[in-house]
Amino acid sequence: MRQKIPFELTKDRSFFESLGDWMGDVLYDELPEKGFECRDEQIFMAYQIEKALQEKAVLFAEAGVGTGKTIAYLLPAIAYARYTGKPALIACADETLIDQLVKKGGDIEKIQQALDLKIDVRLAKSRDQYLCLKRFQVAENVVTEDWIDDIAFSMPEAVFTHGPMSEMYLYGDRSDYPTVSDEDWQQVNYNELMQCAVCDERNRCGQTLHRQHYREAGDIIICSQDFLMEHLATKESREREGQTALLPEVSMMVLDEGHLLEYAAQKAMTYKVQAKTIVGMLERLMVDGVRERTLLAMEKLQDDHELFFDELRDCLTLGEDRMHITKSAALLSYAKTLIADVDDLMEQFVFESEMYMIPEYELNMAEEFLEHYLGAMQIFVNKEDAVDWAEEANGALTLVIMPRLITEVLQEKLFSKKLPIIFSSATLSIDKDFSYIAYSLGIRNYLSFSVASPFDYDSVMQINVHPVAQDAKTALVDHILAKREQTLILFKSKQAMDSFRSELPMMAKLTMAFEGDRELSSLVRDFQAGDSKTLCSYHLWEGLDLPADMLTRVIIFDLPFPAHDPLFDAKRAFAEDAFEEVELPFMQLRLQQGMGRLIRTSADHGTIELLLNADEMQQLPILQPLFAVEPTIK
């Protein structure tokens, strides 16, 4: 239901003039009367967003920690959504930050209470954040651990009894199952193989229910940047197939922690081919009555697929999470054979579709998968303008192919639409120069501003720099943690965190929580409550918001330079000065974000412990402008 604009419109004043008056009343008078601090930086940001709405422009809104960015963009977003009749979209850096934004006692709840304003806000999480009934049913037959039963008991009874839809409620969100590990969740969640359009369980699926729910939002839809990019990447193809786009039309976008959009865009446009998946999928099609010619085509594809991945393993450079591929002549030959195999099998499927021996859902799923598979292999063989690598996840080897340049795609699908788009972050520029992020995203015309944090950092923050050998860092962390405080340890990669974990004494691990052991937002809640004293993460460089004594120490284990993997190596290869154009800006932005986790409110205090090996110490002069206070060399 469309709600009223929170102020009166008159014939003699435009919407934007009335919006400006209303925001002034709220920010200067109403909110301060309710105990909110009146911040000039926040007010300035709100009016800059109003200007971007009026001009339908892209705005880089860089505002320091403590500015109150969320309230600054929520006020104009809500009013503009009601004025246009389309919800505003807030796209967060990842799924964890969605929960942070709508948490109890957060800014949205505070505004509702302070202004007596009912805000219709709904969550649109990425598809892999929802349970897949098809995959759950398969897992339920083989998994014997308690977690699978816990999921089953939480689901509406109508799912199992095929009762009326009126008995169904929203279920199946990843955050509904906080004790389930990431590894276990990967067995039951949606993945790219599942073809929802032809699934006979789709009307009872939790993902479908959630999608229907958020599409009816009146004010705000909150999603991850990954999901926004997936929406843009699939919108045209879904509409051609008679499906609705993943997201509805919106009036404006706010990209919270918008400096991470490039990586979300690249991720959404990747092709992924797994070693094991195609074998199991084709075996399900080998039912009685299938023509011998089709069976032979499937068996040949399976055999050649296995030969390809056997050769791929021999072509990998081990080390980083993203493993380099040295393409041998044999590997390329196998890939070309696979292309021919898929073409042949797709022809056989045309005949099978007329005989109805293979279940329609399974056949449609196979055809969709093979089209994706064929596209991936064609790019892999032809190279084109793409980057490829291999990953090992949950024991499965995966070939990943990603377009190197996404600027043209973003320009066409997003930035050419005359839609107001607000990039909101404490770190969007390098010394107030926004050209790095604008160039990375292909944005030619934009508005921008930068305002500093209002906090007196000298009185509440201390930065300690520890020169230390790389192999002595774990022991130093163990020593620092002897003084028990609520501590966040940030790592530049999962591999770095896992290496640290393996070197820790067993007793030290007992008071630590590690990203990946459970659903991340549940780990954050336990840490916030003091149930764990130390939280180790490689994702929480941005967005974590824990005030006062909930977080009093941040340990930065390594300078967060980008990994030496195929994706960043491609960026380096196309740069005139790889260090200045790629590595340094990435590290500077990420380090600023990490240090920004410590001081979030005027009541916060604490220390940042920065561990630097000999090579990292050479960068100290470059780091000095990033420090809010003069560091102490230990």
Side-chain angles (χ1 to χ4, degrees):
M1 179 179 174
R2 185 171 178 179
Q3 300 191 64
K4 291 178 58 178
I5 298 173
F7 49 84
E8 293 295 329
L9 291 178
T10 60
K11 293 181 179 180
D12 59 332
R13 295 178 65 76
S14 71
F15 164 78
F16 293 104
E17 290 173 319
S18 299
L19 171 62
D21 291 344
W22 175 69
M23 291 196 306
D25 292 340
V26 168
L27 294 170
Y28 281 113
D29 298 322
E30 292 186 51
L31 290 183
E33 288 175 2
K34 299 294 177 60
F36 289 73
E37 185 177 346
C38 183
R39 299 170 179 167
D40 291 338
E41 298 87 354
Q42 182 186 65
I43 296 169
F44 178 78
M45 178 174 174
Y47 280 101
Q48 290 300 301
I49 292 174
E50 179 212 339
K51 180 181 178 182
L53 294 179
Q54 193 164 358
E55 298 183 13
K56 292 183 170 57
V58 173
L59 170 65
F60 292 123
E62 182 177 66
V65 175
T67 301
K69 293 185 286 294
T70 308
I71 291 177
Y73 67 62
L74 279 175
L75 293 177
I78 293 165
Y80 193 64
R82 296 184 180 186
Y83 172 66
T84 60
K86 299 177 183 177
L89 182 76
I90 300 174
C92 300
D94 59 37
E95 305 295 338
T96 306
L97 303 187
I98 293 176
D99 292 313
Q100 289 278 309
L101 193 59
V102 297
K103 67 182 179 181
K104 187 174 179 58
D107 285 334
I108 291 178
E109 183 179 282
K110 289 177 181 177
I111 288 180
Q112 290 189 109
Q113 294 174 349
L115 301 181
D116 192 22
L117 186 65
K118 184 176 181 181
I119 304 172
D120 184 10
V121 55
R122 308 191 186 193
L123 306 187
K125 295 190 175 184
S126 295
R127 291 190 283 181
D128 63 4
Q129 294 295 303
Y130 296 108
L131 189 74
C132 171
L133 280 183
K134 283 283 188 182
R135 300 189 72 214
F136 173 78
Q137 290 164 1
V138 172
E140 198 175 24
N141 291 326
V142 296
V143 175
T144 57
E145 287 91 346
D146 290 343
W147 65 268
I148 198 79
D149 295 328
D150 293 340
I151 292 178
F153 292 145
S154 73
M155 294 162 66
E157 186 177 349
V159 172
F160 303 103
T161 63
H162 286 74
M165 293 297 290
S166 59
E167 297 179 9
M168 303 283 280
Y169 52 81
L170 295 178
Y171 77 95
D173 186 330
R174 173 69 177 100
S175 61
D176 293 339
Y177 316 111
T179 60
V180 177
S181 71
D182 287 351
E183 183 175 354
D184 290 336
W185 179 250
Q186 297 301 320
Q187 299 182 57
V188 296
N189 67 336
Y190 168 89
N191 69 16
E192 59 267 19
L193 286 178
M194 311 316 292
Q195 300 304 312
C196 300
V198 295
C199 178
D200 54 1
E201 299 283 2
R202 63 185 180 277
N203 291 329
R204 303 185 178 281
C205 179
Q207 181 185 168
T208 302
L209 297 174
H210 278 276
R211 187 172 300 160
Q212 291 171 344
H213 178 69
Y214 71 66
R215 292 186 70 85
E216 297 169 0
D219 292 329
I220 294 172
I221 296 174
I222 304 177
C223 71
S224 68
Q225 291 176 20
D226 285 350
F227 191 54
L228 169 61
M229 290 298 105
E230 185 181 1
H231 158 71
L232 293 175
T234 61
K235 184 175 185 291
E236 292 179 2
S237 62
R238 290 179 66 87
E239 289 175 346
R240 280 198 305 269
E241 296 167 3
Q243 302 180 58
T244 56
L246 294 177
L247 291 167
E249 293 295 322
V250 297
S251 56
M252 64 169 292
M253 290 184 188
V254 176
L255 302 174
D256 207 335
E257 307 298 354
H259 61 285
L260 298 175
L261 183 69
E262 179 185 8
Y263 307 104
Q266 289 170 328
K267 181 179 177 182
M269 296 169 193
T270 58
Y271 289 87
K272 290 190 176 183
V273 179
Q274 286 194 327
K276 298 179 179 179
T277 308
I278 196 170
V279 177
M281 182 197 67
L282 292 179
E283 284 178 351
R284 293 198 298 272
L285 304 184
M286 295 176 179
V287 297
D288 290 341
V290 175
R291 297 161 55 248
E292 182 179 1
R293 182 69 187 84
T294 304
L295 289 173
L296 290 173
M298 288 193 282
E299 289 173 357
K300 186 175 189 308
L301 177 56
Q302 285 179 326
D303 292 342
D304 291 339
H305 176 84
E306 290 181 352
L307 289 171
F308 174 86
F309 269 89
D310 286 342
E311 179 67 20
L312 178 63
R313 287 184 177 89
D314 293 336
C315 295
L316 299 180
T317 302
L318 304 180
E320 296 289 344
D321 294 336
R322 299 182 183 123
M323 293 177 279
H324 283 269
I325 302 170
T326 302
K327 294 182 181 178
S328 66
L331 185 65
L332 291 172
S333 177
Y334 285 134
K336 292 174 183 176
T337 300
L338 287 172
I339 292 171
D341 290 347
V342 173
D343 284 337
D344 181 34
L345 183 55
M346 293 290 275
E347 288 182 14
Q348 304 310 316
F349 281 167
V350 173
F351 295 104
E352 295 298 336
S353 66
E354 297 173 353
M355 300 178 67
Y356 304 105
M357 300 305 299
I358 301 175
E360 182 183 12
Y361 172 77
E362 298 287 355
L363 187 59
N364 285 335
M365 188 172 75
E367 288 177 334
E368 185 77 16
F369 172 80
L370 289 176
E371 288 177 4
H372 178 94
Y373 183 94
L374 182 63
M377 285 300 167
Q378 288 171 335
I379 294 174
F380 184 79
V381 168
N382 298 327
K383 187 62 177 178
E384 299 181 357
D385 190 17
V387 182
D388 43 52
W389 65 85
E391 297 175 348
E392 192 87 38
N394 300 324
L397 184 64
T398 303
L399 171 65
V400 184
I401 301 170
M402 174 184 286
R404 187 186 67 82
L405 295 175
I406 45 84
T407 54
E408 292 182 5
V409 177
L410 286 175
Q411 177 62 29
E412 175 191 349
K413 296 182 179 293
L414 185 58
F415 298 122
S416 64
K417 302 299 183 182
K418 294 301 290 181
L419 183 75
I421 299 175
I422 314 302
F423 286 77
S424 172
S425 177
T427 51
L428 290 170
S429 73
I430 305 297
D431 196 21
K432 299 185 179 181
D433 180 359
F434 295 88
S435 58
Y436 173 72
I437 186 172
Y439 175 77
S440 298
L441 297 172
I443 300 173
R444 302 182 182 92
N445 301 306
Y446 58 88
L447 306 174
S448 66
F449 71 87
S450 180
V451 292
S453 170
F455 295 142
D456 178 13
Y457 285 106
D458 286 330
S459 63
V460 295
M461 176 192 282
Q462 181 176 343
I463 300 177
N464 297 321
V465 175
H466 300 265
V468 57
Q470 188 67 31
D471 59 6
K473 285 186 176 183
T474 300
L476 177 58
V477 169
D478 196 26
H479 174 73
I480 292 172
L481 294 178
K483 182 181 178 183
R484 291 174 62 82
E485 295 181 32
Q486 290 296 109
T487 303
L488 171 67
I489 307 180
L490 292 172
F491 298 88
K492 64 180 180 180
S493 66
K494 181 179 185 298
Q495 185 181 42
M497 185 187 77
D498 290 343
S499 177
F500 164 80
R501 186 176 191 171
S502 68
E503 296 170 2
L504 276 175
M506 182 59 69
M507 292 301 295
K509 298 177 187 178
L510 297 179
T511 59
M512 294 187 179
F514 289 85
E515 179 178 346
D517 284 353
R518 288 190 289 122
E519 193 267 335
L520 188 53
S521 63
S522 70
L523 288 175
V524 171
R525 285 194 296 271
D526 287 350
F527 179 69
Q528 182 176 0
D531 295 338
S532 56
K533 300 298 293 184
T534 304
L535 177 59
C536 300
S537 175
Y538 53 95
H539 267 138
L540 294 176
W541 291 84
E542 52 269 315
L544 186 66
D545 190 2
L546 297 177
D549 292 337
M550 294 178 187
L551 177 63
T552 57
R553 183 167 57 199
V554 174
I555 298 176
I556 296 176
F557 196 82
D558 295 296
L559 289 183
F561 281 105
H564 282 280
D565 63 24
L567 176 58
F568 279 102
D569 283 349
K571 287 175 170 287
R572 294 179 180 103
F574 284 88
E576 291 185 9
D577 186 329
F579 182 78
E580 291 290 336
E581 296 175 32
V582 178
E583 299 196 22
L584 188 59
F586 179 91
M587 182 274 289
Q588 290 174 312
L589 287 172
R590 200 156 179 80
L591 181 61
Q592 288 180 86
Q593 284 287 340
M595 292 189 295
R597 297 313 95 212
L598 185 64
I599 307 299
R600 310 298 298 171
T601 73
S602 56
D604 292 357
H605 61 93
T607 59
I608 291 173
E609 310 289 346
L610 186 59
L611 281 53
L612 302 182
N613 61 32
D615 290 338
E616 291 169 327
M617 279 297 294
Q618 296 181 15
Q619 307 302 325
L620 193 57
I622 297 174
L623 303 181
Q624 289 284 354
L626 308 180
F627 297 143
V629 299
E630 186 67 27
T632 300
I633 309 296
K634 290 290 187 179

